[in-house]
Amino acid sequence: MATKLSIDGKEISASEGETLIDVAADNGVYIPSLCYMRGRPCLGTCRVCSVVVNGSIMPACTVRISGDMVVEVAKPEVADMRKALVEANFSEGNHNCPSCEKSGRCELQAVAYEVEMVVSRFPYRFPERERDQAARLIFLERDRCIFCQRCVEFVRDRETGRKIFSIHGRGTHARIDIDVELADRMPPEQAREAAEMCPVGCIIEKGRGYNDPIGKRKFDIRSIRERALEEDNK
């Protein structure tokens, strides 16, 4: 059933039950996210898509459209909160963009540009998390993980459906892990999909590094905002 809602004062029409972040994109309003992938189940882990809905702050990927919704995306307080969440991700990991293989293809880096981040307001923790190179086709740079859980939920063994990635520990002791036995059964295209699904440079495909020169990388050619609006309107 079609219904009306307001996004930053603009009245738009959408179907009840649609996801707010998708509806916003379909109507030219970019809401950043680091865990949500259109067409996949909502994870709600990063909270970078937070907006104001009827006076309450909510992650847009979890909100289903219903009647008489008033949504505020550009409100300064909530925009700054999204920026703070992005800054927190930088401070809680080791993200040295100039030396990272994922630079120019990294969603965290691209979203940081969109929220106009310059430096984190939070102290940098510089965690030391041991990398894992045991798998045949991929290795993990654990100190770059932002715990979005895309890989945990969406990358599974094709025969058994078992999860290949998992998160062990809690708080500052949390780390991403990989089931090497299952990972070694991944065909090359699935390993590449896992690496591309990762929003940062945590899951790296072996044998691929700096093969795209500056100026020709994914988000150099088209910003993450432009890609989100264009792809969501296909």
Side-chain angles (χ1 to χ4, degrees):
M1 179 184 295
T3 187
K4 299 286 186 180
L5 69 150
S6 167
I7 300 181
D8 287 339
K10 176 184 176 182
E11 186 177 277
I12 62 175
S13 179
S15 298
E16 289 194 0
E18 285 189 90
T19 304
L20 175 57
I21 192 171
D22 294 338
V23 170
D26 290 344
N27 287 273
V29 179
Y30 170 68
I31 302 175
S33 177
L34 292 170
C35 68
Y36 181 71
M37 300 177 71
R38 187 161 183 155
R40 304 258 189 177
C42 166
L43 299 175
T45 55
C46 77
R47 290 309 200 254
V48 173
C49 68
S50 293
V51 296
V52 178
V53 181
N54 294 342
S56 299
I57 296 175
M58 301 180 182
C61 68
T62 68
V63 177
R64 297 290 180 176
I65 299 299
S66 60
D68 301 321
M69 291 179 65
V70 177
V71 180
E72 297 170 277
V73 177
K75 189 175 182 179
E77 294 87 347
V78 75
D80 186 64
M81 186 184 73
R82 291 195 296 267
K83 183 177 181 180
L85 288 166
V86 174
E87 292 173 1
N89 277 301
F90 274 92
S91 69
E92 292 174 358
N94 293 325
H95 301 282
N96 187 13
C97 295
S99 64
C100 178
E101 301 92 333
K102 198 73 176 279
S103 183
R105 298 181 288 122
C106 172
E107 292 179 42
L108 177 62
Q109 181 190 56
V111 168
Y113 281 120
E114 290 298 327
V115 300
E116 299 182 348
M117 173 186 163
V118 177
V119 66
S120 177
R121 71 192 73 182
F122 307 107
Y124 286 87
R125 302 181 61 91
F126 300 112
E128 293 184 10
R129 303 187 185 109
E130 183 180 0
R131 66 168 58 99
D132 191 324
Q133 305 180 58
R136 179 173 58 93
L137 296 176
I138 57 178
F139 66 89
L140 301 182
E141 286 282 1
R142 287 194 175 101
D143 56 3
R144 300 173 185 167
C145 181
I146 61 171
F147 303 101
C148 69
Q149 299 193 45
R150 285 182 180 178
C151 62
V152 175
E153 297 300 328
F154 303 145
V155 182
R156 296 175 182 255
D157 180 67
R158 293 183 175 179
E159 294 181 10
T160 65
R162 290 167 56 194
K163 294 181 178 181
I164 296 173
F165 297 90
S166 60
I167 293 176
H168 286 172
R170 302 182 68 180
T172 58
H173 301 291
R175 75 174 198 174
I176 188 75
D177 272 336
I178 185 171
D179 186 317
V180 175
E181 181 181 350
L182 292 180
D184 284 348
R185 288 161 45 171
M186 297 170 72
E189 65 271 16
Q190 189 181 21
R192 184 169 299 112
E193 179 187 16
E196 293 177 351
M197 182 182 298
C198 179
V200 291
C202 176
I203 301 176
I204 299 294
E205 182 184 2
K206 289 183 176 179
R208 179 181 184 184
Y210 304 93
N211 53 336
D212 292 325
I214 292 175
K216 296 185 178 181
R217 301 171 303 184
K218 181 176 181 179
F219 295 124
D220 295 332
I221 297 172
R222 195 180 308 118
S223 74
I224 195 169
R225 174 190 294 267
E226 293 170 325
R227 285 178 176 272
L229 299 183
E230 177 182 289
E231 291 174 6
D232 286 347
N233 280 293
K234 285 181 178 179

